[in-house]
Amino acid sequence: MADFPTILPSQINYDLGGLNVSNEQTTTGGPVRFRHSLRQSHHQITLVYTNLLETEATQIRDHYLDSVGFHHHFNLPADIWGGADVLPTDSLFRYRAKPEETQRGVYTDISVSLLSLVG
């Protein structure tokens, strides 16, 4: 699968996800919690793009279609993070939802919600 387009977002929203914990009810009292690993999972990232030209918006639309919506996973280019080591380099992502678009004349605003699969 092709990497996500290298277009710098205007804003990045990041949700740390959570630990791999499950709850089981007991017959005598409160719940028992089981921790399945020491890693956090389900990091959620929202990339917000404002004032994109049609060529840039088309790159994001085409990537979503090439990913078959939520089916295929892909890498995010390091340029999106501005060179910072935010997540491990082996992190893979998939779309959480269809990108949301707002058309404003010749410009397009797009919000892309992603889910981290590794990291």
Side-chain angles (χ1 to χ4, degrees):
M1 182 71 238
D3 287 351
F4 191 81
T6 307
I7 304 170
L8 297 180
S10 305
Q11 179 181 345
I12 299 174
N13 299 321
Y14 184 69
D15 179 358
L16 290 173
L19 296 171
N20 294 313
V21 176
S22 63
N23 292 324
E24 294 295 328
Q25 294 296 327
T26 62
T27 57
T28 59
V32 175
R33 293 180 180 86
F34 296 97
R35 187 170 181 180
H36 302 286
S37 73
L38 298 176
R39 298 181 78 179
Q40 286 184 287
S41 61
H42 301 293
H43 304 280
Q44 297 177 13
I45 297 166
T46 303
L47 305 173
V48 179
Y49 296 92
T50 56
N51 298 329
L52 291 178
L53 297 173
E54 186 60 30
T55 56
E56 296 169 320
T58 300
Q59 288 179 35
I60 295 173
R61 289 182 202 120
D62 289 346
H63 186 266
Y64 176 76
L65 295 174
D66 291 344
S67 297
V68 192
F70 317 122
H71 187 67
H72 292 294
H73 56 273
F74 49 88
N75 293 317
L76 283 179
D79 293 343
I80 285 182
W81 306 110
D85 293 330
V86 176
L87 290 175
T89 56
D90 63 344
S91 294
L92 297 173
F93 297 86
R94 70 171 175 78
Y95 287 94
R96 273 185 57 223
K98 179 181 170 185
E100 296 179 15
E101 294 188 29
T102 304
Q103 208 66 36
R104 292 182 306 110
V106 296
Y107 297 108
T108 304
D109 296 343
I110 298 179
S111 177
V112 179
S113 296
L114 303 174
L115 180 67
S116 174
L117 303 177
V118 177

